[in-house]
Amino acid sequence: MARQKRGRKIDGWLILDKPQGITSTQAVNKVKRALDAQKAGHGGTLDPLATGILPIALGNATKTVPYVMDGSKRYHFTITFGEARDTDDAEGAVTATSDVRPTDEEIRAALPAFRGLIMQIPPAFSAIKVEGERAYDLARAGAPPDLPPRPAQVDRFELIGRPHPDIAEFEVESGKGVYMRSLARDLARACGTVGHISVLRRLRVGPFLENMAVSLDNLLDPAHTPHTLAELVRPLETALDDIPALALTASEAHALSQGQAISLVDLMGRIPDEANPDEGLVRVLAVGRVLALARLSEGWLKPERLLQQFS
């Protein structure tokens, strides 16, 4: 006999404003318990020091997590100049100091080198695996790994405030897998000093914005019940709003749900203009709801991820 899953089946997204001092996994577990949900995951890790947007996927929404993580992200962070830390943020131990404080003009002159497609060395305290072990476990054991640089897409990196010579505030828009701690560390070095992130807040992840977020205190308010909290859950398809939509007939949807490809000739006139015909992704609609994600490839619509059962 199949083991029955604990909790309620909830499909959708809860956008959490993660507070400082807890890990992303701890935040997910708190949300899962509060909603009494069967299944939950998150769309992009935030360090314990960081606050802000942590999209939490529930139920079938966990199938869309990779597409959310591929979306653009926006951050505000503060660099404190004069101290390098082993974690590249305020939680680490001091490893170097400097009396140099760059001017605003020196900072702005250094920023263009960190825009566009850059090569970035991740922090030693990161979740990257090195020969089967997490980099942060090796670093905590006193053997920080020598991580190779990797490509990182930084779309925008601007100085937005300078409240004190020791402190500079920035806004960044970036793609997947860009480490803000590395940006802060490397920018300080480019300005002839050392520094680390002292404040970090994420303002956007893909289609999820700061004004959509729910605080953890609100979520854990004893006045709420799992059923009233469910009203805060956004539909699964919210995560896919920036992916072009393609509507199928019932028979086409049934075929796609069975793993069959559909000729694009049969879909002429319905393929959205913004969809890339060469390996472009579309969200498939059927009977008024999102059924699947599919890819336009070699003249066919090929199923990539079934999100809901078609019936």
Side-chain angles (χ1 to χ4, degrees), residues 101-113:
R101 300 296 182 267
T103 65
D104 291 8
E105 291 72 25
E106 288 171 332
I107 292 172
R108 290 193 178 98
L111 284 173

Side-chain angles (χ1 to χ4, degrees), residues 105-122:
E105 291 72 25
E106 288 171 332
I107 292 172
R108 290 193 178 98
L111 284 173
F114 297 94
R115 299 183 185 126
L117 186 62
I118 65 172
M119 296 301 290
Q120 182 184 74
I121 298 176

Side-chain angles (χ1 to χ4, degrees), residues 252-265:
E252 291 167 342
H254 178 75
L256 195 79
S257 70
Q258 298 301 307
Q260 299 176 34
I262 299 170
S263 171
L264 296 187
V265 174

Side-chain angles (χ1 to χ4, degrees), residues 222-296:
H224 285 304
T225 68
H227 290 281
T228 60
L229 286 174
E231 297 173 4
L232 301 174
V233 176
R234 295 175 180 270
L236 177 154
E237 53 266 28
T238 309
L240 311 174
D241 282 349
D242 53 352
I243 298 176
L246 174 60
L248 299 186
T249 66
S251 59
E252 291 167 342
H254 178 75
L256 195 79
S257 70
Q258 298 301 307
Q260 299 176 34
I262 299 170
S263 171
L264 296 187
V265 174
D266 297 334
L267 301 174
M268 293 295 288
R270 285 186 278 160
I271 299 172
D273 293 338
E274 62 271 30
N276 184 350
D278 183 19
E279 300 300 320
L281 192 68
V282 294
R283 54 189 163 106
V284 174
L285 307 179
V287 200
R289 62 193 181 109
V290 177
L291 171 69
L293 292 169
R295 203 166 287 280
L296 310 179

